[in-house]
Amino acid sequence: MKKCHCGHPISVKKSSTMENPGRRFESCKLYNPRTKIRGCNYFRWYDTTQTDWQRTIINKLQLENKVLTAESELLKEELKSLKEEKTMLRMEVDKVKKLKCVKEEKTKFVSECKSKGYSLTMMICVIVSVLGPVLLN
């Protein structure tokens, strides 16, 4: 196993720079591109050099990938929002169906009461006492 100058096993990493996109290199295990800590500074390109054409294509593809990833995240958020809206609309439809059913029951009850000759005041009292709790839910 190959080791760097400070004795750690060499790791193979992939470059993410615009000058060498996707190009692999060997470095000290302690190398961290984010913090710029390089360990013993061991570095050697693993791949051969890239042509300008390869570099341009790879950079273009990486940029396109970032754009598509961002678009995908936006679409996921939009889908989540639409699902929430769908749930709310279903609840509203259920409520309207319930109210329609109550209205039909009330109409039927009023017709029956009229046919039996009950007074309007008596019908209202019965409707409120029976259907009131249903309407409040």
Side-chain angles (χ1 to χ4, degrees):
M1 174 177 275
K2 282 176 126 180
K3 295 189 178 199
C4 63
H5 305 305
C6 59
H8 293 288
I10 292 172
S11 63
V12 177
K13 299 182 179 166
K14 194 182 288 186
S15 171
S16 59
T17 65
M18 294 289 283
E19 298 81 27
N20 295 292
R23 191 172 173 200
R24 295 181 299 166
F25 61 92
E26 294 177 343
S27 70
C28 176
K29 177 182 173 182
L30 302 177
Y31 172 69
N32 186 333
R34 288 185 211 116
T35 62
K36 304 295 183 199
I37 295 173
R38 292 191 165 269
C40 66
N41 290 328
Y42 176 82
F43 178 90
R44 186 178 77 80
W45 286 112
Y46 190 81
D47 294 335
T48 58
T49 58
Q50 297 171 329
T51 65
D52 288 340
W53 174 83
Q54 289 171 319
R55 191 175 300 111
T56 301
I57 293 299
I58 291 170
N59 283 327
K60 192 175 183 180
L61 289 171
Q62 286 178 337
L63 178 62
E64 194 173 309
N65 186 40
K66 286 180 183 179
V67 168
L68 290 172
T69 300
E71 287 177 358
S72 173
E73 291 302 315
L74 287 173
L75 288 171
K76 286 177 186 177
E77 286 297 317
E78 187 177 345
L79 178 61
K80 180 182 173 186
S81 176
L82 288 171
K83 284 181 178 180
E84 289 170 359
E85 186 179 347
K86 178 183 172 185
T87 300
M88 295 299 290
L89 288 171
R90 277 192 175 158
M91 289 170 54
E92 197 171 319
V93 166
D94 289 344
K95 187 176 178 181
V96 168
K97 285 179 180 178
K98 193 175 187 182
L99 289 173
K100 182 181 176 192
C101 184
V102 167
K103 184 179 178 184
E104 289 171 355
E105 288 294 319
K106 182 190 98 179
T107 304
K108 181 179 170 186
F109 178 76
V110 169
S111 294
E112 288 176 9
C113 287
K114 282 183 180 178
S115 69
K116 293 180 181 178
Y118 296 144
S119 71
L120 183 59
T121 306
M122 186 175 163
M123 285 190 281
I124 291 173
C125 289
V126 171
I127 289 171
V128 169
S129 65
V130 172
L131 300 178
V134 175
L135 293 173
L136 294 175
N137 288 333

